Amino acid sequence: MVPPAPTSEVTTALHGPVLVVSIHNPPVNALSAAVRRGLADAMAQADATPEVQGVLIVSEGRTFIAGADIREFGKPPVPPALPDVCQRIESCTKPVVACLQGAALGGGLEVALASHHRLAFAAAKLGLPEVELGLMPGAGGTQRAPRLMGAKAAAELMLSGKPISAQAGVQAGLIDRLEEDTRLSPLAAGLAYTQALLAQGAPVRRVRDRAVAEPAAALVALQALADDTAKKSRGLFSPLKIIEAVRAAVELPFDEGMALERRLFLACIDSPQRAGLIHAFFAEREVAKVPEARGAAPRPVASLAVIGGGTMGAGIAAAALDAGLPVVMVERDDEAIARGVANVAKVYDGLVAKGRLTEGQKAATLARFTPTTRYADVVTVDLVIEAVFEDLEVKKAVFRQLDAVCKPGAVLATNTSYLDIDAIAAATRRPQDVIGLHFFSPANIMKLLEIVVPAQVSPDVVATAFELAKRMKKVPVRAGVCDGFIGNRILAVYKQAADYLMEDGASPYEIDAAVRSFGYPMGPFQVTDLAGGDIGWATRKRRAATRDPWARYVEVADRICERGWFGQKTGRGFYRYPPGARSGQPDPEVLAIVDAERARKGVRPRTFTAEEILRRYLAAMVNEGARVLADGIALRPLDIDVTFLHGYGFPRHRGGPMKYADTVGLPQILADIRRFAEDDPLFWQPAPLLEQLVAEGRNFDSLNQPAD
Ligand code: 3HC
Ligand code: NAI
């Protein structure tokens, strides 16, 4: 007799001589405490039940096991620990078979590696993605994978975090057999395989008993990987720990390797990088949970149009084509549309040149692309994205035309970076259909999409925008209407802090270096040079008339632009870019311009340490973030975090600016702001929300409640 199932997440049933251990923990069968306990109990049951000759581990649903339950990290551990469960599986006295479908990731793959035989459906994906969460495999993955696939390949799998196909798993030696028949259920395929193995008298086969192949060569390869990783991993904690653990698989007996893996894993768990990366993982999934997207059904979108074929129009067109949509592009005249077509073609020519696309695929994609100069050609499309010049009157004129020609119910979106979308909507007789879709450049590559929600938009239009983002594989963030929405509004403030630092005594090069040391790929002045100084200059000139005459305004960038130095494209900006140089070089003439501006304003330069630079830069970001929250422009702090992770290069392992503020502690951020305010009380006014949270002893995360 088989005793009743140990937990509702793990059930057992005898199929002839095979004990089927079935995991049911939707949505992704994560290894929660109940699943771990269920698996351990099932192994005890298999050992204790004489009728059982073999064990099959299968999962219900679309995926085998997505790994450890990420929500448990950072909380007090609940036994049994996963390494012990894997150990229990491996020590089972009857042959244990794992049947993998969907994703077998992290702890999920480790459960499979602890089993004695592995069958995988051809579409299964296998991976050890812990590094993406600031972790390393912690349930024997660092010890068992190298024994099966070799130390170098195993370390590469763990360092990349990217999954491999089941076919690649077979070639690497991780998987014993591929199941090609997609009609079979995991239970049917797994049972057939287990029965066949039993019929052949297949043994209990423990990975721990194997040795890593070619140990001397493996150590050399690991050293090369360690050197490379130290250079590339920009201060990340877990990658070097992964290599250390894999080295132990080569050099130490299995149990000692496991003990080292445990110590290193726990050090990763304690690292703030783990907290930042796991915050990013969940925040990226929470952002799509907005009231409108929950409550309303999206409108169907089978075709799309872009108005404008410049930098953004072409990128958006490519993003939509890549999502499989037919795309119409409207430009002003024949010459402009020819440029628009060339801009789109350039994207695909680049992909062909890199070998990422064949000529045939390019032709098939471009067959869905219709360039035109006639607005009449958008009458049937379901969704239009306007990307013309950043000028309210030009945009209003475009929307009046769209209002005149588009079919009823078509969604009318604008890609404006700053302008008032309520005013744009008011130019039409259908403001309920008008929304902001703020893509980032290059739009076919950058993941962030700010979905800007004007006052009168109907909820199903918001839901449609979120659905489109999903189809385009974008990370959508809901934003309210204001000058710059979430991202550019906050950017404007911390960029100002950087300008003040420069005028007060730090060089642009010191500021960039400090910002890079925090984990950014580039500093703010390098970004200006990359984007082109002329873009910001045009905005500043446009705003000159409305600028507060009492507010401090740093003119260094204007002086640089007046010389025609627009950054990389002109060979000079804040940096010099000599022909053939790979990166910009500091420019004494720029430093002289900075000095002259200081002298003109009577500023006596001070020195700033890298830490002081960062404190000001980040405090400005967090303070404006708090205002954006209080104004309802961002729904939750996590929306700001995701905006900065995917649109502005904020280092992912810090989780985003608001998460970073929580990590440092809001009292410290507020104290910094009050200290900076002693010199400049106008700029450094603490945001009331920040003061309130500090007074109440709360952090930003306390505001990250699901939006209902
Ligand atoms: N633990 C807890 N929840 C998880 C989870 C996990 N390992 N993986 C996914 N989820 C949750 C998501 O948060 C989401 O919840 P929500 O619906 O409430 O927002 C839900 O499951 C569905 O996830 P996705 O939206 O991501 O679904 P997809 O179908 O797009 O992707 C997936 C599925 C490929 C499995 C993807 O979720 C994924 O990559 N998950 C993380 C895998 C991972 O990192 N595993 C390693 C964990 S660490 C580990 O195992 C340590 C061990 O070595 C000791
Ligand atoms: P761009 O100058 O490269 O392209 C604008 C295009 O619009 C031009 O090709 C022009 O011919 C066309 N156009 C102008 N009036 C038109 C009309 N009435 N009908 C059809 N086409 C018309 O400008 P870019 O950089 O592509 O910007 C477009 C919009 O996207 C702006 O609102 C900008 O603020 C926004 N944006 C720009 C980003 C960037 O990094 N460049 C990032 C995010 C948003």
Side-chain angles (χ1 to χ4, degrees):
M1 257 305 285
V2 177
T7 65
S8 62
E9 283 85 352
V10 179
T11 53
T12 53
L14 253 191
H15 289 249
V18 180
L19 183 71
V20 175
V21 180
S22 186
I23 302 170
H24 173 76
N25 185 25
V28 292
N29 295 319
L31 291 156
S32 65
V35 174
R36 298 197 298 274
R37 201 173 59 248
L39 281 172
D41 290 352
M43 294 306 127
Q45 186 186 340
D47 278 338
T49 311
E51 300 94 299
V52 172
Q53 290 173 24
V55 182
L56 169 65
I57 302 178
V58 282
S59 284
E60 294 169 26
R62 62 195 162 99
T63 212
F64 177 60
I65 301 173
D69 187 340
I70 300 171
R71 287 176 205 277
E72 290 182 1
F73 294 134
K75 297 186 186 150
V78 180
L82 190 56
D84 298 338
V85 174
C86 288
Q87 169 70 26
R88 186 67 194 83
I89 294 170
E90 192 172 55
S91 66
C92 187
T93 53
K94 323 273 167 88
V96 181
V97 178
C99 175
L100 280 50
Q101 92 277 15
L105 301 177
L109 184 58
E110 289 172 301
V111 164
L113 298 183
S115 304
H116 306 139
H117 302 270
R118 286 161 290 277
L119 170 72
F121 277 86
K125 295 272 177 227
L126 327 175
L128 293 168
E130 289 87 345
V131 72
E132 310 254 12
L133 304 174
L135 293 171
M136 52 183 271
T142 65
Q143 303 306 300
R144 292 193 180 93
R147 285 174 159 79
L148 285 173
M149 67 194 302
K152 179 166 182 270
E156 283 168 346
L157 182 70
M158 297 174 217
L159 290 171
S160 82
K162 303 276 170 279
I164 57 172
S165 67
Q167 180 69 57
V170 172
Q171 274 150 14
L174 286 181
I175 298 298
D176 302 306
R177 195 165 133 175
L178 209 59
E179 178 57 71
E180 306 270 8
D181 191 344
T182 50
R183 292 163 307 174
L184 289 181
S185 68
L187 176 64
L191 261 181
Y193 184 50
T194 311
Q195 279 154 353
L197 285 172
L198 291 180
Q200 294 160 19
V204 163
R205 216 182 40 161
R206 300 189 175 105
V207 176
R208 61 171 288 143
D209 296 335
R210 297 170 61 128
V212 177
E214 299 177 36
L219 290 176
V220 173
L222 288 177
Q223 189 52 48
L225 270 180
D227 295 343
D228 192 47
T229 304
K231 263 188 256 148
K232 287 191 190 146
S233 66
R234 268 207 234 119
L236 285 180
F237 184 75
S238 73
L240 287 170
K241 306 285 170 228
I242 287 175
I243 298 176
E244 200 180 331
V246 174
R247 185 177 294 131
V250 183
E251 292 180 320
L252 300 180
F254 183 81
D255 290 328
E256 285 177 40
M258 286 296 289
L260 180 75
E261 180 194 83
R262 189 79 194 140
R263 279 201 302 282
L264 296 173
F265 180 78
L266 292 177
C268 293
I269 285 275
D270 284 342
S271 140
Q273 297 187 356
R274 185 274 305 161
L277 288 165
I278 288 186
H279 172 76
F281 177 88
F282 284 118
E284 280 158 6
R285 286 159 177 80
E286 284 304 306
V287 281
K289 296 174 192 165
V290 302
E292 296 90 347
R294 275 185 187 171
R299 297 181 188 175
V301 175
S303 57
L304 188 143
V306 289
I307 314 297
T311 309
M312 293 309 288
I316 296 167
L321 288 168
D322 291 344
L325 285 161
V327 176
V328 178
M329 175 185 278
V330 184
E331 260 289 359
R332 293 180 291 173
D333 50 40
D334 290 345
E335 208 178 297
I337 195 64
R339 273 199 309 271
V341 170
N343 288 341
V344 174
K346 207 163 102 189
V347 170
Y348 292 101
D349 289 343
L351 290 174
V352 171
K354 284 187 199 135
R356 299 220 194 116
L357 207 68
T358 63
E359 282 290 350
Q361 287 166 324
K362 173 182 139 188
T365 305
L366 290 178
R368 283 185 275 111
F369 178 54
T370 313
T372 177
T373 54
R374 298 172 343 132
Y375 273 81
D377 289 335
V378 304
V379 288
T380 57
V381 300
D382 297 317
L383 190 143
V384 185
I385 303 174
E386 165 277 312
V388 304
F389 301 133
E390 185 75 343
D391 180 310
L392 189 58
E393 292 315 312
V394 175
K395 294 211 189 264
K396 279 182 176 173
V398 167
F399 272 78
R400 275 193 289 271
Q401 257 170 309
L402 291 174
D403 191 16
V405 299
C406 287
K407 68 180 186 187
V411 172
L412 308 183
T414 171
N415 182 49
T416 179
S417 308
Y418 294 95
L419 299 174
D420 179 355
I421 304 180
D422 287 309
I424 294 173
T428 72
R429 289 158 299 167
R430 39 173 124 177
Q432 74 282 359
D433 297 338
V434 177
I435 193 163
L437 287 180
H438 184 215
F439 289 82
F440 286 70
S441 181
N444 56 321
I445 292 173
M446 291 290 282
K447 287 270 171 243
L448 181 64
L449 177 61
E450 273 183 303
I451 295 183
V452 193
V453 176
Q456 293 190 56
V457 68
S458 118
D460 65 344
V461 169
V462 182
T464 309
F466 274 87
E467 186 61 29
L468 179 72
K470 198 153 121 197
R471 280 171 77 179
M472 287 185 166
K473 298 199 172 65
K474 298 290 178 200
V475 179
V477 173
R478 184 192 192 280
V481 175
C482 70
D483 192 350
F485 319 128
I486 298 176
N488 284 346
R489 172 170 157 181
I490 296 174
L491 166 70
V493 177
Y494 66 83
K495 187 70 201 340
Q496 225 174 330
D499 282 346
Y500 294 171
L501 277 162
M502 174 168 63
E503 200 171 63
D504 287 340
S507 79
Y509 315 120
E510 286 169 327
I511 297 169
D512 280 348
V515 168
R516 282 196 307 271
S517 75
F518 183 73
Y520 273 94
M522 284 185 198
F525 298 101
Q526 290 173 292
V527 173
T528 301
D529 276 3
L530 179 68
D534 49 330
I535 294 180
W537 193 31
T539 311
R540 292 195 296 279
K541 283 193 279 195
R542 201 168 54 235
R543 292 188 178 162
T546 52
R547 190 177 298 131
D548 175 359
W550 299 104
R552 184 175 173 189
Y553 178 69
V554 176
E555 294 181 39
V556 172
D558 294 350
R559 293 294 91 80
I560 289 177
C561 287
E562 282 158 11
R563 289 166 167 76
W565 300 350
F566 296 147
Q568 290 193 12
K569 61 185 170 191
T570 57
R572 268 184 111 158
F574 280 92
Y575 292 78
R576 266 172 182 269
Y577 301 88
R582 287 173 57 197
S583 57
Q585 295 165 2
D587 184 346
E589 285 186 58
V590 167
L591 294 178
I593 293 171
V594 176
D595 277 339
E597 282 300 303
R598 288 175 187 153
R600 193 173 65 80
K601 292 203 182 163
V603 175
R604 285 189 48 208
R606 309 162 34 191
T607 49
F608 292 92
T609 61
E611 185 189 340
E612 181 71 6
I613 290 170
L614 277 176
R615 282 192 168 206
R616 286 173 184 257
Y617 193 73
L618 295 164
M621 198 180 296
V622 171
N623 202 38
E624 188 62 13
R627 291 184 197 283
V628 159
L629 273 172
D631 292 351
I633 299 300
L635 271 185
R636 300 149 295 198
L638 64 84
D639 295 272
I640 299 177
D641 286 337
V642 172
T643 301
F644 280 86
L645 293 179
H646 287 285
Y648 297 84
F650 197 93
R652 188 177 171 83
H653 65 270
R654 306 214 185 241
M658 309 318 266
K659 173 70 182 173
Y660 169 75
D662 280 355
T663 309
V664 172
L666 301 194
Q668 186 191 309
I669 303 271
L670 182 60
D672 278 353
I673 292 172
R674 289 192 171 135
R675 182 165 58 86
F676 307 149
E678 288 166 14
D679 293 334
D680 185 351
L682 197 64
F683 181 69
W684 289 106
Q685 289 178 33
L689 177 64
L690 181 60
E691 290 179 311
Q692 185 194 332
L693 289 173
V694 171
E696 293 171 1
R698 293 167 60 195
N699 62 9
F700 283 121
D701 197 42
S702 67
L703 303 173
N704 277 331
Q705 304 311 323
D708 278 313

